[in-house]
Amino acid sequence: MAVKKLKPSSKATLPFKTANKEKRQKLHVTRKKALDNNRRDERFRRRREEDKDPSLREERLRKNVPLTLERKRVWDDVDGDIGNGLGVSVDVERLKRQKLAEDGQPDGDEDQVSDEEPPNSEDDRDSMIDSLSDSSSSPASTPPPSFRRPNERSNTARATSPTPSTTSTNLNTTFTPSALADRFPTLFSTTPPPVPKTLVTTSLHSTLHYQASLLMTLFPNSVYIPRSHNRHKSHNYSIREIASFAANRNYTALVVLKEDQKKPTGITIVHLPSGPTFTFSISNWVEGKKIPGHGRPTDHTPELILNNFRTPLGRLTAHLFRSLFPTQPEFAGRQVVTLHNQRDYIFLRRHRYVFREKKGSERNVVGPDGKDVGGVEGIRAGLQELGPRLTLKLRRIDKGIQSGRGDEWEWKGKMDKQRTKFQL
């Protein structure tokens, strides 16, 4: 006769201590089984209730939003003009829209996200796929409050940023602070920019010739010149001398790849002819040939996507990267370069895309509101990464043309120790 298995009672989950070691071990096992059984029963009970009433599942999913660092992001309280704004954590586009709304002037860009969007919108979820869709402006319903005091907001509601945490950066000069544009007139020029022409080099006696050639394929209209000491000449050309040489030959940017222990650790970008100089650190460098299923890049001019550059410093960095790529891409190549900013880390990726018919087992394209996007029911987009894959972090911005160690700087990192305040 089979022995009936007894189910532990709810009292087994209560805290209890005993001096006997064997009894403590048995009690721990019994308590763990009881807790697991209680959780399992709770899950099945909730599933039965949600099967009867699907609105309960929707309500639970709206409340179940993780409290990440992006949702804890804090902003500086700025009244009036923010000046050049370097080092100030404010959303430039949001402040400009509020000022235009107070003056009663249309902003001329109605397809962007409005300021009255509820803070707990589903667009706050960090997803590069959502940021690429054109339907990011559809408002989401505000989640119902949980069981708390009437005048008390939840931690999620208090920590939510005023606008979506991942949005495509609008580089319209209308949203650029006037002081910032006056300080860097070549990067914020209203006239059509010249065709980019980039000179790529390395630090002295570098061995990163292959990595520098990869950067030459990444930036259009670029030339790589090795920088090594010649034994017949005792003069080593400095960054300032190389920048002067490049400016006289109509180069628009100088890119210097830095090396440590035969690995790329940093990159310096000099905006010619007179600066400024941007210094980035590099981490997680992965060559294209080491990426599973990678493709081979072509010589076509890629499209450029800049995501989540919101502060004045972020907009300055975005305009720097925009100056490295031509304004008119070659769509026949179907290549796209993405610079995605998240927690002040800039993720650089290069893909080739293709549009194909949807398979029978695949789902339709879903927008930020969770509903199917109309007009593309039978179309899916495939991506193939080309490489290289790397992560950048802005360390400092120097005045003019310097090597990153000068005393005349516009901005440098580690000036703010607060983890929930981001600079870009």
PDB file of all heavy atoms in Angstrom, residues 257-284:
ATOM      1  N   LEU A 257      43.887  56.142 -32.431  1.00  0.00           N
ATOM      2  CA  LEU A 257      43.592  54.925 -31.681  1.00  0.00           C
ATOM      3  C   LEU A 257      44.717  54.664 -30.681  1.00  0.00           C
ATOM      4  O   LEU A 257      45.894  54.612 -31.071  1.00  0.00           O
ATOM      5  CB  LEU A 257      43.431  53.738 -32.635  1.00  0.00           C
ATOM      6  CG  LEU A 257      43.021  52.403 -32.008  1.00  0.00           C
ATOM      7  CD1 LEU A 257      41.649  52.510 -31.374  1.00  0.00           C
ATOM      8  CD2 LEU A 257      43.035  51.299 -33.065  1.00  0.00           C
ATOM      9  N   LYS A 258      44.368  54.496 -29.413  1.00  0.00           N
ATOM     10  CA  LYS A 258      45.357  54.298 -28.356  1.00  0.00           C
ATOM     11  C   LYS A 258      45.464  52.814 -28.019  1.00  0.00           C
ATOM     12  O   LYS A 258      44.502  52.057 -28.155  1.00  0.00           O
ATOM     13  CB  LYS A 258      44.974  55.104 -27.109  1.00  0.00           C
ATOM     14  CG  LYS A 258      44.928  56.604 -27.356  1.00  0.00           C
ATOM     15  CD  LYS A 258      44.575  57.350 -26.099  1.00  0.00           C
ATOM     16  CE  LYS A 258      44.528  58.853 -26.353  1.00  0.00           C
ATOM     17  NZ  LYS A 258      44.169  59.609 -25.129  1.00  0.00           N
ATOM     18  N   GLU A 259      46.636  52.440 -27.536  1.00  0.00           N
ATOM     19  CA  GLU A 259      46.942  51.026 -27.309  1.00  0.00           C
ATOM     20  C   GLU A 259      47.518  50.824 -25.921  1.00  0.00           C
ATOM     21  O   GLU A 259      48.238  51.676 -25.395  1.00  0.00           O
ATOM     22  CB  GLU A 259      47.929  50.540 -28.368  1.00  0.00           C
ATOM     23  CG  GLU A 259      48.443  49.123 -28.141  1.00  0.00           C
ATOM     24  CD  GLU A 259      49.591  48.765 -29.062  1.00  0.00           C
ATOM     25  OE1 GLU A 259      50.060  49.668 -29.787  1.00  0.00           O
ATOM     26  OE2 GLU A 259      50.016  47.598 -29.048  1.00  0.00           O
ATOM     27  N   ASP A 260      47.203  49.682 -25.321  1.00  0.00           N
ATOM     28  CA  ASP A 260      47.811  49.256 -24.070  1.00  0.00           C
ATOM     29  C   ASP A 260      47.850  47.728 -24.070  1.00  0.00           C
ATOM     30  O   ASP A 260      46.800  47.080 -24.183  1.00  0.00           O
ATOM     31  CB  ASP A 260      47.023  49.775 -22.864  1.00  0.00           C
ATOM     32  CG  ASP A 260      47.725  49.477 -21.551  1.00  0.00           C
ATOM     33  OD1 ASP A 260      48.928  49.158 -21.595  1.00  0.00           O
ATOM     34  OD2 ASP A 260      47.074  49.530 -20.491  1.00  0.00           O
ATOM     35  N   GLN A 261      49.039  47.174 -23.966  1.00  0.00           N
ATOM     36  CA  GLN A 261      49.240  45.722 -24.003  1.00  0.00           C
ATOM     37  C   GLN A 261      48.639  45.114 -25.279  1.00  0.00           C
ATOM     38  O   GLN A 261      47.970  44.077 -25.237  1.00  0.00           O
ATOM     39  CB  GLN A 261      48.634  45.058 -22.754  1.00  0.00           C
ATOM     40  CG  GLN A 261      49.285  45.498 -21.467  1.00  0.00           C
ATOM     41  CD  GLN A 261      48.717  44.812 -20.239  1.00  0.00           C
ATOM     42  OE1 GLN A 261      47.760  44.049 -20.350  1.00  0.00           O
ATOM     43  NE2 GLN A 261      49.312  45.062 -19.087  1.00  0.00           N
ATOM     44  N   LYS A 262      48.888  45.806 -26.387  1.00  0.00           N
ATOM     45  CA  LYS A 262      48.469  45.357 -27.713  1.00  0.00           C
ATOM     46  C   LYS A 262      46.958  45.215 -27.850  1.00  0.00           C
ATOM     47  O   LYS A 262      46.460  44.410 -28.626  1.00  0.00           O
ATOM     48  CB  LYS A 262      49.155  44.032 -28.077  1.00  0.00           C
ATOM     49  CG  LYS A 262      50.672  44.143 -28.157  1.00  0.00           C
ATOM     50  CD  LYS A 262      51.290  42.847 -28.623  1.00  0.00           C
ATOM     51  CE  LYS A 262      52.818  43.010 -28.741  1.00  0.00           C
ATOM     52  NZ  LYS A 262      53.456  41.762 -29.228  1.00  0.00           N
ATOM     53  N   LYS A 263      46.233  46.023 -27.099  1.00  0.00           N
ATOM     54  CA  LYS A 263      44.768  46.049 -27.178  1.00  0.00           C
ATOM     55  C   LYS A 263      44.303  47.498 -27.267  1.00  0.00           C
ATOM     56  O   LYS A 263      44.894  48.384 -26.618  1.00  0.00           O
ATOM     57  CB  LYS A 263      44.132  45.374 -25.958  1.00  0.00           C
ATOM     58  CG  LYS A 263      44.419  43.885 -25.866  1.00  0.00           C
ATOM     59  CD  LYS A 263      43.724  43.278 -24.658  1.00  0.00           C
ATOM     60  CE  LYS A 263      43.995  41.788 -24.560  1.00  0.00           C
ATOM     61  NZ  LYS A 263      43.328  41.185 -23.378  1.00  0.00           N
ATOM     62  N   PRO A 264      43.257  47.778 -28.028  1.00  0.00           N
ATOM     63  CA  PRO A 264      42.736  49.163 -28.089  1.00  0.00           C
ATOM     64  C   PRO A 264      42.054  49.536 -26.781  1.00  0.00           C
ATOM     65  O   PRO A 264      41.137  48.849 -26.322  1.00  0.00           O
ATOM     66  CB  PRO A 264      41.754  49.114 -29.264  1.00  0.00           C
ATOM     67  CG  PRO A 264      41.375  47.675 -29.401  1.00  0.00           C
ATOM     68  CD  PRO A 264      42.544  46.869 -28.947  1.00  0.00           C
ATOM     69  N   THR A 265      42.513  50.609 -26.177  1.00  0.00           N
ATOM     70  CA  THR A 265      41.968  51.056 -24.892  1.00  0.00           C
ATOM     71  C   THR A 265      41.355  52.447 -24.953  1.00  0.00           C
ATOM     72  O   THR A 265      40.674  52.846 -24.003  1.00  0.00           O
ATOM     73  CB  THR A 265      43.068  51.057 -23.826  1.00  0.00           C
ATOM     74  OG1 THR A 265      44.142  51.906 -24.263  1.00  0.00           O
ATOM     75  CG2 THR A 265      43.595  49.654 -23.599  1.00  0.00           C
ATOM     76  N   GLY A 266      41.585  53.188 -26.015  1.00  0.00           N
ATOM     77  CA  GLY A 266      41.040  54.536 -26.076  1.00  0.00           C
ATOM     78  C   GLY A 266      41.081  55.075 -27.488  1.00  0.00           C
ATOM     79  O   GLY A 266      41.772  54.545 -28.363  1.00  0.00           O
ATOM     80  N   ILE A 267      40.328  56.131 -27.692  1.00  0.00           N
ATOM     81  CA  ILE A 267      40.275  56.777 -28.996  1.00  0.00           C
ATOM     82  C   ILE A 267      40.112  58.279 -28.765  1.00  0.00           C
ATOM     83  O   ILE A 267      39.350  58.712 -27.898  1.00  0.00           O
ATOM     84  CB  ILE A 267      39.119  56.206 -29.856  1.00  0.00           C
ATOM     85  CG1 ILE A 267      39.169  56.760 -31.267  1.00  0.00           C
ATOM     86  CG2 ILE A 267      37.774  56.446 -29.215  1.00  0.00           C
ATOM     87  CD1 ILE A 267      38.177  56.097 -32.211  1.00  0.00           C
ATOM     88  N   THR A 268      40.865  59.045 -29.528  1.00  0.00           N
ATOM     89  CA  THR A 268      40.815  60.506 -29.465  1.00  0.00           C
ATOM     90  C   THR A 268      40.339  61.029 -30.815  1.00  0.00           C
ATOM     91  O   THR A 268      40.907  60.668 -31.855  1.00  0.00           O
ATOM     92  CB  THR A 268      42.192  61.089 -29.128  1.00  0.00           C
ATOM     93  OG1 THR A 268      42.623  60.597 -27.861  1.00  0.00           O
ATOM     94  CG2 THR A 268      42.129  62.610 -29.070  1.00  0.00           C
ATOM     95  N   ILE A 269      39.304  61.866 -30.785  1.00  0.00           N
ATOM     96  CA  ILE A 269      38.742  62.438 -32.005  1.00  0.00           C
ATOM     97  C   ILE A 269      38.925  63.949 -31.940  1.00  0.00           C
ATOM     98  O   ILE A 269      38.432  64.607 -31.017  1.00  0.00           O
ATOM     99  CB  ILE A 269      37.252  62.078 -32.162  1.00  0.00           C
ATOM    100  CG1 ILE A 269      37.067  60.551 -32.160  1.00  0.00           C
ATOM    101  CG2 ILE A 269      36.682  62.676 -33.439  1.00  0.00           C
ATOM    102  CD1 ILE A 269      35.626  60.113 -32.255  1.00  0.00           C
ATOM    103  N   VAL A 270      39.642  64.489 -32.917  1.00  0.00           N
ATOM    104  CA  VAL A 270      39.906  65.925 -33.001  1.00  0.00           C
ATOM    105  C   VAL A 270      39.084  66.490 -34.145  1.00  0.00           C
ATOM    106  O   VAL A 270      39.192  66.024 -35.294  1.00  0.00           O
ATOM    107  CB  VAL A 270      41.401  66.201 -33.221  1.00  0.00           C
ATOM    108  CG1 VAL A 270      41.653  67.707 -33.260  1.00  0.00           C
ATOM    109  CG2 VAL A 270      42.238  65.540 -32.143  1.00  0.00           C
ATOM    110  N   HIS A 271      38.252  67.449 -33.821  1.00  0.00           N
ATOM    111  CA  HIS A 271      37.456  68.118 -34.857  1.00  0.00           C
ATOM    112  C   HIS A 271      38.295  69.223 -35.474  1.00  0.00           C
ATOM    113  O   HIS A 271      38.684  70.185 -34.803  1.00  0.00           O
ATOM    114  CB  HIS A 271      36.167  68.682 -34.246  1.00  0.00           C
ATOM    115  CG  HIS A 271      35.259  69.312 -35.258  1.00  0.00           C
ATOM    116  ND1 HIS A 271      34.589  68.591 -36.212  1.00  0.00           N
ATOM    117  CD2 HIS A 271      34.918  70.614 -35.458  1.00  0.00           C
ATOM    118  CE1 HIS A 271      33.861  69.393 -36.953  1.00  0.00           C
ATOM    119  NE2 HIS A 271      34.052  70.634 -36.521  1.00  0.00           N
ATOM    120  N   LEU A 272      38.592  69.072 -36.744  1.00  0.00           N
ATOM    121  CA  LEU A 272      39.457  70.020 -37.447  1.00  0.00           C
ATOM    122  C   LEU A 272      38.634  71.160 -38.048  1.00  0.00           C
ATOM    123  O   LEU A 272      37.443  70.978 -38.326  1.00  0.00           O
ATOM    124  CB  LEU A 272      40.232  69.282 -38.540  1.00  0.00           C
ATOM    125  CG  LEU A 272      41.132  68.149 -38.052  1.00  0.00           C
ATOM    126  CD1 LEU A 272      41.798  67.456 -39.227  1.00  0.00           C
ATOM    127  CD2 LEU A 272      42.173  68.660 -37.063  1.00  0.00           C
ATOM    128  N   PRO A 273      39.237  72.346 -38.163  1.00  0.00           N
ATOM    129  CA  PRO A 273      40.672  72.619 -38.016  1.00  0.00           C
ATOM    130  C   PRO A 273      41.121  73.095 -36.646  1.00  0.00           C
ATOM    131  O   PRO A 273      42.317  73.137 -36.367  1.00  0.00           O
ATOM    132  CB  PRO A 273      40.888  73.735 -39.043  1.00  0.00           C
ATOM    133  CG  PRO A 273      39.592  74.485 -39.050  1.00  0.00           C
ATOM    134  CD  PRO A 273      38.516  73.462 -38.818  1.00  0.00           C
ATOM    135  N   SER A 274      40.195  73.484 -35.770  1.00  0.00           N
ATOM    136  CA  SER A 274      40.602  74.141 -34.517  1.00  0.00           C
ATOM    137  C   SER A 274      40.079  73.442 -33.277  1.00  0.00           C
ATOM    138  O   SER A 274      40.081  74.031 -32.202  1.00  0.00           O
ATOM    139  CB  SER A 274      40.122  75.600 -34.521  1.00  0.00           C
ATOM    140  OG  SER A 274      38.708  75.664 -34.682  1.00  0.00           O
ATOM    141  N   GLY A 275      39.612  72.207 -33.382  1.00  0.00           N
ATOM    142  CA  GLY A 275      39.120  71.510 -32.208  1.00  0.00           C
ATOM    143  C   GLY A 275      37.626  71.678 -32.044  1.00  0.00           C
ATOM    144  O   GLY A 275      36.934  72.191 -32.936  1.00  0.00           O
ATOM    145  N   PRO A 276      37.075  71.176 -30.939  1.00  0.00           N
ATOM    146  CA  PRO A 276      37.700  70.635 -29.724  1.00  0.00           C
ATOM    147  C   PRO A 276      38.176  69.195 -29.884  1.00  0.00           C
ATOM    148  O   PRO A 276      37.963  68.568 -30.921  1.00  0.00           O
ATOM    149  CB  PRO A 276      36.569  70.735 -28.689  1.00  0.00           C
ATOM    150  CG  PRO A 276      35.322  70.574 -29.507  1.00  0.00           C
ATOM    151  CD  PRO A 276      35.596  71.246 -30.823  1.00  0.00           C
ATOM    152  N   THR A 277      38.788  68.668 -28.812  1.00  0.00           N
ATOM    153  CA  THR A 277      39.336  67.321 -28.789  1.00  0.00           C
ATOM    154  C   THR A 277      38.549  66.470 -27.812  1.00  0.00           C
ATOM    155  O   THR A 277      38.425  66.831 -26.635  1.00  0.00           O
ATOM    156  CB  THR A 277      40.822  67.348 -28.384  1.00  0.00           C
ATOM    157  OG1 THR A 277      41.549  68.193 -29.278  1.00  0.00           O
ATOM    158  CG2 THR A 277      41.408  65.950 -28.420  1.00  0.00           C
ATOM    159  N   PHE A 278      38.020  65.359 -28.301  1.00  0.00           N
ATOM    160  CA  PHE A 278      37.227  64.443 -27.488  1.00  0.00           C
ATOM    161  C   PHE A 278      38.060  63.202 -27.190  1.00  0.00           C
ATOM    162  O   PHE A 278      38.653  62.609 -28.113  1.00  0.00           O
ATOM    163  CB  PHE A 278      35.946  64.039 -28.205  1.00  0.00           C
ATOM    164  CG  PHE A 278      34.949  65.146 -28.389  1.00  0.00           C
ATOM    165  CD1 PHE A 278      35.163  66.144 -29.327  1.00  0.00           C
ATOM    166  CD2 PHE A 278      33.803  65.197 -27.617  1.00  0.00           C
ATOM    167  CE1 PHE A 278      34.248  67.157 -29.504  1.00  0.00           C
ATOM    168  CE2 PHE A 278      32.887  66.210 -27.784  1.00  0.00           C
ATOM    169  CZ  PHE A 278      33.112  67.199 -28.726  1.00  0.00           C
ATOM    170  N   THR A 279      38.084  62.803 -25.928  1.00  0.00           N
ATOM    171  CA  THR A 279      38.825  61.611 -25.506  1.00  0.00           C
ATOM    172  C   THR A 279      37.846  60.584 -24.964  1.00  0.00           C
ATOM    173  O   THR A 279      37.095  60.875 -24.027  1.00  0.00           O
ATOM    174  CB  THR A 279      39.875  61.960 -24.447  1.00  0.00           C
ATOM    175  OG1 THR A 279      40.764  62.961 -24.963  1.00  0.00           O
ATOM    176  CG2 THR A 279      40.682  60.724 -24.063  1.00  0.00           C
ATOM    177  N   PHE A 280      37.864  59.387 -25.556  1.00  0.00           N
ATOM    178  CA  PHE A 280      36.997  58.279 -25.146  1.00  0.00           C
ATOM    179  C   PHE A 280      37.867  57.109 -24.706  1.00  0.00           C
ATOM    180  O   PHE A 280      38.980  56.914 -25.208  1.00  0.00           O
ATOM    181  CB  PHE A 280      36.098  57.810 -26.303  1.00  0.00           C
ATOM    182  CG  PHE A 280      35.156  58.856 -26.832  1.00  0.00           C
ATOM    183  CD1 PHE A 280      35.554  59.731 -27.831  1.00  0.00           C
ATOM    184  CD2 PHE A 280      33.863  58.954 -26.338  1.00  0.00           C
ATOM    185  CE1 PHE A 280      34.697  60.686 -28.323  1.00  0.00           C
ATOM    186  CE2 PHE A 280      32.993  59.913 -26.827  1.00  0.00           C
ATOM    187  CZ  PHE A 280      33.411  60.777 -27.813  1.00  0.00           C
ATOM    188  N   SER A 281      37.342  56.334 -23.788  1.00  0.00           N
ATOM    189  CA  SER A 281      37.935  55.038 -23.461  1.00  0.00           C
ATOM    190  C   SER A 281      37.156  53.941 -24.175  1.00  0.00           C
ATOM    191  O   SER A 281      35.952  54.074 -24.415  1.00  0.00           O
ATOM    192  CB  SER A 281      37.919  54.794 -21.950  1.00  0.00           C
ATOM    193  OG  SER A 281      36.581  54.766 -21.465  1.00  0.00           O
ATOM    194  N   ILE A 282      37.835  52.868 -24.529  1.00  0.00           N
ATOM    195  CA  ILE A 282      37.246  51.757 -25.265  1.00  0.00           C
ATOM    196  C   ILE A 282      37.242  50.519 -24.385  1.00  0.00           C
ATOM    197  O   ILE A 282      38.241  50.202 -23.736  1.00  0.00           O
ATOM    198  CB  ILE A 282      38.020  51.478 -26.573  1.00  0.00           C
ATOM    199  CG1 ILE A 282      37.935  52.668 -27.512  1.00  0.00           C
ATOM    200  CG2 ILE A 282      37.488  50.228 -27.265  1.00  0.00           C
ATOM    201  CD1 ILE A 282      38.693  52.461 -28.817  1.00  0.00           C
ATOM    202  N   SER A 283      36.125  49.821 -24.368  1.00  0.00           N
ATOM    203  CA  SER A 283      36.016  48.535 -23.689  1.00  0.00           C
ATOM    204  C   SER A 283      35.200  47.596 -24.568  1.00  0.00           C
ATOM    205  O   SER A 283      34.426  48.035 -25.421  1.00  0.00           O
ATOM    206  CB  SER A 283      35.353  48.687 -22.311  1.00  0.00           C
ATOM    207  OG  SER A 283      34.061  49.248 -22.430  1.00  0.00           O
ATOM    208  N   ASN A 284      35.398  46.322 -24.352  1.00  0.00           N
ATOM    209  CA  ASN A 284      34.645  45.279 -25.063  1.00  0.00           C
ATOM    210  C   ASN A 284      34.814  45.394 -26.577  1.00  0.00           C
ATOM    211  O   ASN A 284      33.850  45.381 -27.335  1.00  0.00           O
ATOM    212  CB  ASN A 284      33.147  45.337 -24.706  1.00  0.00           C
ATOM    213  CG  ASN A 284      32.910  45.212 -23.222  1.00  0.00           C
ATOM    214  OD1 ASN A 284      33.657  44.524 -22.524  1.00  0.00           O
ATOM    215  ND2 ASN A 284      31.884  45.867 -22.721  1.00  0.00           N
TER     216      ASN A 284
END
